[in-house]
């Protein structure tokens, strides 16, 4: 390994460590906020948001560990999305058929009588 590579990796590790410490500090500050304090400015908002994300991350970790969450793109996830699409297509088909019937009715009423 070259000195240049090691220096690059050291710089990357330093940036990562700094960001991680910043994240941990924001989560800790956000966890002590009272309701409504997120609205006191950008820093307070970021702290509160960080705490909320950290809490959600812990819930997700617990759910994944318990096997209760299907990861995105899983068979169950794709099946649920297909069901939603089938419903939407059915709704659109119904609307198109209704419009076609209205148009046919309008055209029939405008035809001259024989």
């Amino acid at each position: 390994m070259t000195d240049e590579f090691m220096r690059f990796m050291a710089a990357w590790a330093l940036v990562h460590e700094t960001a991680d410490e910043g994240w941990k500090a924001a989560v800790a500050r956000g966890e002590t906020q009272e309701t409504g304090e997120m609205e006191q400015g950008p820093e307070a908002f970021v702290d509160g948001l960080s705490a909320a994300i950290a809490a959600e991350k812990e819930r997700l970790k617990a759910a994944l560990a318990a096997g209760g969450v299907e990861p995105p793109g899983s068979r169950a996830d794709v099946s649920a999305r297909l069901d939603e699409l089938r419903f939407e297509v059915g709704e659109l088909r119904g609307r198109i058929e209704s419009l076609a019937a209205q148009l046919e009715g309008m055209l029939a009423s405008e035809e001259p009588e024989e």
Side-chain angles (χ1 to χ4, degrees):
M1 287 186 227
T2 65
D3 288 343
E4 215 170 273
F5 175 74
M6 291 302 290
R7 186 157 180 88
F8 171 78
M9 292 304 292
W12 176 84
L14 181 61
V15 168
H16 186 273
E17 182 179 300
T18 302
D20 192 43
E21 292 303 318
W23 166 257
K24 289 176 185 173
V27 170
R29 287 189 303 267
E31 288 175 341
T32 63
Q33 285 182 344
E34 299 292 327
T35 302
E37 284 188 42
M38 282 179 67
E39 299 163 5
Q40 293 180 352
E43 283 80 21
F45 177 79
V46 169
D47 293 346
L49 180 63
S50 298
I53 291 170
E56 182 61 28
K57 181 190 78 174
E58 292 303 317
R59 283 191 290 275
L60 178 61
K61 277 185 359 186
L64 289 171
V69 174
E70 291 284 338
S74 69
R75 182 177 293 267
D77 184 50
V78 170
S79 178
R81 290 180 187 265
L82 282 174
D83 287 344
E84 290 172 8
L85 282 173
R86 284 187 189 110
F87 176 79
E88 292 295 326
V89 169
E91 289 282 318
L92 288 172
R93 181 178 294 146
R95 289 182 187 163
I96 290 171
E97 288 173 355
S98 174
L99 285 172
Q102 287 179 5
L103 285 172
E104 287 175 8
M106 290 172 60
L107 290 173
S109 67
E110 291 182 4
E111 288 181 5
E113 292 183 23
E114 296 178 19

